[in-house]
Amino acid sequence: MATKDSLRSRAARMGEEMRETGKLVLRAPALVRTAECAMHFLLGALLSGAEIFGGYAPFGLGLVAASGAGADGLFALLGACFGYFSFQGFLDGLRYSASAILIYSVAFAFYGGRLSRRGWFAPLAAALVDAVTGAVYLSDTHWYPSDVIFFSTEVLLVAASAYFCRIAFSPWKAAREEEPLTVRQTISLLLLGGTVLMTLSKVTILDSVSLGRAAAALAVLLCASAGGMGAGAAVGVAAGVGMDLSSEGVPFYAMAYALAGVMSGAFHRQGRMAVAMAYVLSNALAVLWSWDNGLHLSLLYEVFVASVLFLLTPKSVLRRIQALLVRETRQDTKARAMAYARRRLEETAQAFRDLHSALRPVCAGGRNDNDTAVIFDRAASRVCRTCSLQIVCWQRDYVSTYNALNDALPAMLERGHGEGEDFPGYFSDRCQKFPQFLAAANEELSALFTRRQYQSRIKDNRGEVCRQYGALAAALGAAAAELSAELAPDPGRERRLRQHLTAQGLECDCAVFYDERGRLRVEADGPGAGQLRKPEEVHRLSGLLSVPLRPLEEEGRRDRAVLVQLEPYQAVAGVAARKKEGETVSGDTGAWFKGEDGKVYVLLCDGMGSGPDANRESGEVVDLLEKFLRAGVSPEEALRTLSGALSLKGEETGSFTTIDLLALDLFTGSAAVYKFGAAPTYVKKGATVTRVTGASLPAGLAPGGTALPDISRFQLSPGDCVLMVTDGVAGSGGDVWLRERLRSFDGSSPKEIARILIDESSRRGGGEDDRTALLLRLDKRSK
C-alpha cells in the first residue's frame, strides 16, 4: 500500500509540473536511461527510412555517429539496422548496416581518447566509412555522373547529419534542460524533425495522403501563424526541400510550401481562419501552376488535413511555438539600462529641488544697510526732528556738523561705543539734546555691529550652500557615469524570460540586467506587465531565472513591473511610542523602509521640545532624509547636506532636531548607525548588549552645516537586534535597567519588548518627555 501511495504521489507531482512547465521530468535514473535508449532506437529506425534521390539514406548513419560508443550508440545502431533492412531491403540494407556497424566500431575503438572528443571527429569518421563502403558496394556498377553527384551528396549529408544530431542532443546530454536553446540547437532540432518527416512521407492513407507531407504542411502553418512571413518562408523552404528530396527530386514542394508560408504569414495578425484560407489558396495556385507537369492533387488533400489540425491546435501550443521564434533586441536592453540610470538621477535631482523650495524664503537676501553713515542719520531722525536748532545744524551749518561727526566716528568704532569727549566742543556745546543724541548714536552703533555679524554669518552660510550644491553636482555626474558603465545585460536570462512571456500570452517588452551592485533586475512594460507582480508569477519567474526575486512597487503604473533580486535576510521591527503628558501629539517622528538596493533604513528624529512644532520639525527632517536615501544618495552625504540646510533654517527659527539613522544591508548583514545628537543605540548580539553613543550636536546647531555625524559600523548575524530610542525613554536615571531588559529579550516579539520598555519608562517617571522605542531583529529569510 505504501508503494502504491508513493507512486500515486509521484504521478501527481509529475502531472502538476507538466501543467506548469509543459515538460515531463523523469527523475528515476533507470527509467530515464531506458527512455533515452528507446528514443535512440526509434530515431535510428526512423532516420534510416529517410531517402533522397530515390534510394540514398545517409541520415541513419549520421545518427549512429552522433550517438557515440555507449549504450545510446548501441541502441541507435540496432535501430538503424532495423530501419535499413525494413526500408531498403536486404541488399541495400546490408550495405548501410555494414557502414553503421563500422562507424560504431570506430567510435568504440577511440572511446575516451582525446581525438574522439573533438567536434569534427565523429562527422569525419562517419563520412570516410560511408565513402569507403559505398565505393566498394558501387564498384560493380557503372559510375555515371549522376551517380557520382548523388553519392558525393550522400557522403556530405552523413557528415552534416552527424554534426547536427550531436548538437541537437547536447542540451539533453548536458542535463541542462532549463537553459534556453541556442540558435544552433534550435536549427539542429528542426533539421532532425524534418528528417523524420521525410520518413513519414512514405506513409500514406487513402492511397494518396502522406502523413509526413501533411505534418510538414502543418509545421509551415504553425510557424507562419506564430512568426509571420519570415518564419513561414524559412520553414516552408526547408520542409519543401526535404519533401522534394524524398520524392521525385523536382522542387515542387519547396515552391508550394514557401509560397504558402509567405502568404499565410502575411495574414498572421488577422486570426487563424485568415491564415488557413491564405495557406489553402496559395497551395491551390501552386498546383494549378504545375499543370503541365502533372496535377499534385494529393497536396490539396494534405493541406486540407493540415488546415483542420491547425484550427484545432490549442492556443498554448501556438504561444510556445511563438516563444521559440522570438527575436532578441539587444539595443532595447541597453536603452532600458540607460533609462534606469537616468531615472535614478532624476529622483536625486527632485530631492534637491524639494530642498531648494523649502529653503527659498530663508535664502532671500535683505537690503544692505551696513554703511557707518546711517548711525548718525538714524540718531538724528530720532532726536533732532523736534529740536529748534534742526535747520541750523543740518542745513545752514551742515559742513561743520558733518566734520564733527566724522571726527568722532573713528573713536566710536574702535571703542565700540561713543563718549562725550569724542565730539568737538563746538558741536557738543551747541547741541541742546546732546545726551539723547549720544545715546541714540550708541544704540545705532550697536545695531550696526549686530547687522554686520548677522550679514557675515549669512554670507558664510550661503557660501556653504553653494559649495554643497557644487559637491552634489559633481556627485551626480559621478553617479551617472557609474550607473551607465556598470549596468550589464544578461542575454541568456532575458531570452528565457521573453520566451516565457510569449508562451503565457503576455504582451510586454522586458529587459534583464545587473545593477551597479551586481544584483539581478527585471523590468517589463506593456499591458501584461501587471501580471508579473502577482506572488505566483514572481515565484515562477524566480525558478525560471534561477534567482529569487521580489517585486518593487511602481506608484500609478499598472503597465510596468520591476522585479529585483531577493535578499537572503529579512528584518522584523517592532515600535512603541507615547507622547508627553498633556500634549496632543508627540515631537518624535520615525520611519523605516527598504530601498531598491536591499538596504533597510530606520529613521528616528526628536524635535526640539514637544507638541505640534516639534512634530512638524522632526517630520520634515524624516521626509527629506527619506527622499535622499530612496534616491540613492549615501547616508553620509544626505546627512551632511541636511545638516547644513537645518543650520540655515535654525538661524531663523532657533529650532533643531536630533537624527538617529540605522542602515542595514539585507544581503550581507553589515549595519551602520549615524547620529546627530541622538540618544544611545543598543546592539544585542547573543547575551551581550553594546551601547553606541555619539558626541555630535543635534542637526541645526552646528554653524554653517560644518558638523559631521557620528558613525558606528558593525556586523549583524541572524537573531541579533538593534534598539533605537529617543532620550525620553531612559530619562535622567541611567539606562542600566534598559540594557538588562534588552539582554533578557529572547527575540520572540520585537513589538512586545518595545511596549515593555515604554511602560517601564513611564513607571520610572519618564512622562516629562516624548518617548519612542524601535527594535529591529535580523532573521534569515525562509525559502
Side-chain angles (χ1 to χ4, degrees):
M1 179 63 81
T3 304
K4 184 182 295 184
D5 292 341
S6 177
L7 292 175
R8 200 174 286 170
S9 62
R10 288 184 183 180
R13 185 169 65 249
M14 290 169 61
E16 181 66 23
E17 290 181 356
M18 188 173 181
R19 281 192 297 272
E20 290 186 0
T21 64
K23 301 177 182 179
L24 178 61
V25 181
L26 303 176
R27 290 186 172 84
L31 186 61
V32 172
R33 200 72 190 103
T34 303
E36 291 177 352
C37 294
M39 186 172 294
H40 279 82
F41 179 87
L42 182 61
L43 283 176
L46 287 175
L47 296 184
S48 301
E51 298 181 2
I52 60 174
F53 306 130
Y56 294 89
F59 303 106
L61 300 181
L63 178 70
V64 174
S67 301
D72 293 339
L74 178 60
F75 277 88
L77 172 62
L78 295 176
C81 293
F82 173 79
Y84 281 127
F85 281 116
S86 299
F87 290 105
Q88 297 285 334
F90 180 75
L91 291 179
D92 290 337
L94 183 62
R95 174 232 162 169
Y96 284 108
S97 297
S99 299
I101 294 172
L102 288 176
I103 291 173
Y104 180 78
S105 301
V106 171
F108 187 81
F110 287 91
Y111 179 74
R114 181 180 303 176
L115 193 62
S116 64
R117 290 193 292 269
R118 299 296 180 90
W120 50 264
F121 176 77
L124 180 60
L128 290 176
V129 169
D130 180 63
V132 172
T133 56
V136 173
Y137 182 79
L138 297 175
S139 60
D140 294 338
T141 62
H142 295 284
W143 287 87
Y144 297 105
S146 59
D147 295 332
V148 175
I149 294 174
F150 293 159
F151 178 66
S152 301
T153 304
E154 179 192 81
V155 173
L156 293 176
L157 288 178
V158 167
S161 61
Y163 175 78
F164 286 110
C165 284
R166 190 166 187 173
I167 295 177
F169 291 152
S170 59
W172 186 8
K173 296 293 184 183
R176 295 174 62 186
E177 293 88 345
E178 73 279 0
E179 292 292 332
L181 296 177
T182 64
V183 176
R184 289 200 307 168
Q185 290 169 346
T186 303
I187 294 175
S188 301
L189 287 173
L190 291 176
L191 292 176
L192 183 62
T195 309
V196 172
L197 292 182
M198 292 174 63
T199 303
L200 295 179
S201 65
K202 299 179 180 180
V203 182
T204 59
I205 57 175
L206 302 178
D207 296 331
S208 58
V209 178
S210 168
L211 292 181
R213 289 196 295 269
L218 177 61
V220 177
L221 254 175
L222 292 173
C223 293
S225 175
M229 297 175 61
V235 177
V237 171
V241 169
M243 297 301 105
D244 289 329
L245 289 176
S246 63
S247 57
E248 301 173 359
V250 178
F252 168 75
Y253 290 104
M255 179 270 295
Y257 288 167
L259 174 64
V262 171
M263 296 304 295
S264 58
F267 292 90
H268 76 288
R269 297 187 183 276
Q270 276 68 44
R272 290 204 206 185
M273 186 58 68
V275 173
M277 291 296 297
Y279 192 80
V280 172
L281 293 177
S282 300
N283 280 280
L285 287 177
V287 171
L288 293 177
W289 290 341
S290 61
W291 186 283
D292 293 338
N293 296 326
L295 291 177
H296 295 76
L297 294 179
S298 60
L299 175 65
L300 299 181
Y301 302 142
E302 294 157 1
V303 167
F304 174 75
V305 172
S307 301
V308 173
L309 294 176
F310 168 71
L311 295 175
L312 297 177
T313 302
K315 290 184 178 180
S316 60
V317 175
L318 285 176
R319 288 199 296 264
R320 294 188 180 280
I321 295 174
Q322 188 177 3
L324 294 175
L325 303 176
V326 170
R327 291 187 177 182
E328 298 180 34
T329 54
R330 298 181 181 177
Q331 188 64 32
D332 183 59
T333 300
K334 295 180 179 179
R336 287 181 175 275
M338 293 298 297
Y340 168 69
R342 245 187 345 264
R343 182 174 61 83
R344 294 293 300 272
L345 292 179
E346 288 172 355
E347 290 177 355
T348 307
Q350 184 60 45
F352 284 110
R353 282 193 291 269
D354 292 343
L355 178 61
H356 178 264
S357 298
L359 294 177
R360 185 177 298 169
V362 182
C363 293
R367 61 186 180 90
N368 183 13
D369 59 353
N370 290 333
D371 188 2
T372 55
V374 300
I375 299 174
F376 301 113
D377 291 340
R378 291 180 178 180
S381 65
R382 293 168 54 186
V383 177
C384 302
R385 181 181 303 174
T386 59
C387 182
S388 59
L389 298 177
Q390 176 187 5
I391 297 176
V392 175
C393 295
W394 294 100
Q395 293 184 16
R396 192 180 64 185
D397 296 334
Y398 172 76
V399 175
S400 61
T401 302
Y402 180 79
N403 291 333
L405 297 179
N406 280 340
D407 293 340
L409 184 60
M412 294 176 64
L413 293 176
E414 183 179 359
R415 191 185 303 114
H417 66 278
E419 296 180 357
E421 60 268 18
D422 296 335
F423 295 85
Y426 67 87
F427 177 82
S428 58
D429 294 340
R430 184 183 63 186
C431 182
Q432 296 179 353
K433 298 181 178 181
F434 182 74
Q436 293 88 336
F437 181 82
L438 180 59
N442 283 332
E443 291 178 4
E444 293 298 333
L445 180 60
S446 177
L448 175 64
F449 288 152
T450 301
R451 287 194 299 273
R452 282 184 173 180
Q453 183 180 11
Y454 181 72
Q455 293 295 336
S456 177
R457 292 182 63 183
I458 288 180
K459 183 178 180 181
D460 292 341
N461 289 337
R462 287 176 178 170
E464 176 66 21
V465 171
C466 292
R467 285 190 294 272
Q468 285 187 358
Y469 282 128
L472 290 175
L476 288 176
E482 181 182 359
L483 289 174
S484 301
E486 295 188 8
L487 296 178
D490 190 330
R493 285 189 169 92
E494 182 173 320
R495 185 191 312 116
R496 208 182 311 168
L497 176 61
R498 290 180 184 275
Q499 292 178 354
H500 172 76
L501 296 178
T502 305
Q504 296 294 324
L506 300 178
E507 297 182 5
C508 54
D509 297 327
C510 63
V512 180
F513 57 94
Y514 296 92
D515 61 17
E516 68 275 12
R517 292 166 298 275
R519 277 85 185 248
L520 193 69
R521 185 180 179 94
V522 178
E523 292 190 2
D525 292 285
Q531 299 291 326
L532 302 183
R533 292 195 293 267
K534 294 183 176 180
E536 60 274 12
E537 189 63 26
V538 173
H539 177 72
R540 188 177 293 113
L541 291 180
S542 298
L544 177 71
L545 303 181
S546 303
V547 174
L549 300 171
R550 65 175 175 92
L552 289 181
E553 291 297 330
E554 292 285 329
E555 296 182 0
R557 293 293 301 273
R558 295 183 178 180
D559 59 346
R560 176 178 172 82
V562 178
L563 305 179
V564 296
Q565 188 170 339
L566 185 65
E567 307 84 12
Y569 299 116
Q570 63 182 357
V572 181
V575 63
R578 195 163 299 170
K579 60 181 177 293
K580 179 182 177 180
E581 295 179 2
E583 294 289 348
T584 57
V585 295
S586 173
D588 300 340
T589 302
W592 63 85
F593 63 92
K594 183 164 65 173
E596 295 184 8
D597 57 357
K599 287 185 177 180
V600 169
Y601 295 95
V602 183
L603 312 176
L604 189 57
C605 295
D606 184 2
M608 182 184 68
S610 299
D613 291 338
N615 178 267
R616 183 175 57 255
E617 292 293 335
S618 62
E620 183 178 333
V621 170
V622 168
D623 183 61
L624 289 172
L625 187 54
E626 181 177 347
K627 286 183 178 180
F628 278 110
L629 296 174
R630 284 189 181 275
V633 180
S634 66
E636 295 93 331
E637 191 64 40
L639 287 170
R640 185 174 181 181
T641 302
L642 193 57
S643 174
L646 294 177
S647 177
L648 284 176
K649 190 174 183 181
E651 292 182 1
E652 291 290 330
T653 63
S655 60
F656 58 87
T657 303
T658 67
I659 299 178
D660 206 356
L661 169 63
L662 168 66
L664 173 60
D665 193 333
L666 295 181
F667 281 98
T668 63
S670 60
V673 171
Y674 305 83
K675 288 184 177 295
F676 265 126
T681 297
Y682 305 89
V683 180
K684 181 179 183 296
K685 299 173 69 68
T688 303
V689 175
T690 304
R691 191 170 184 262
V692 179
T693 60
S696 61
L697 295 173
L701 289 183
T706 57
L708 296 176
D710 296 305
I711 304 176
S712 301
R713 304 182 188 277
F714 47 90
Q715 185 72 26
L716 294 181
S717 301
D720 294 344
C721 301
V722 178
L723 174 64
M724 302 173 65
V725 297
T726 55
D727 53 9
V729 176
S732 59
D735 61 357
V736 176
W737 66 270
L738 189 148
R739 284 182 283 173
E740 288 298 327
R741 288 283 189 182
L742 182 59
R743 184 178 293 109
S744 61
F745 173 55
D746 59 0
S748 57
S749 176
K751 184 176 182 180
E752 180 65 19
I753 186 62
R755 185 189 62 80
I756 291 174
L757 292 175
I758 295 298
D759 292 341
E760 181 70 18
S761 174
S762 298
R763 288 193 295 269
R764 292 175 177 269
E768 298 299 324
D769 197 359
D770 303 312
R771 288 151 292 156
T772 303
L774 191 151
L775 188 134
L776 183 141
R777 185 187 69 222
L778 183 66
D779 291 341
K780 191 169 185 179
R781 190 181 299 277
S782 59
K783 294 184 179 180

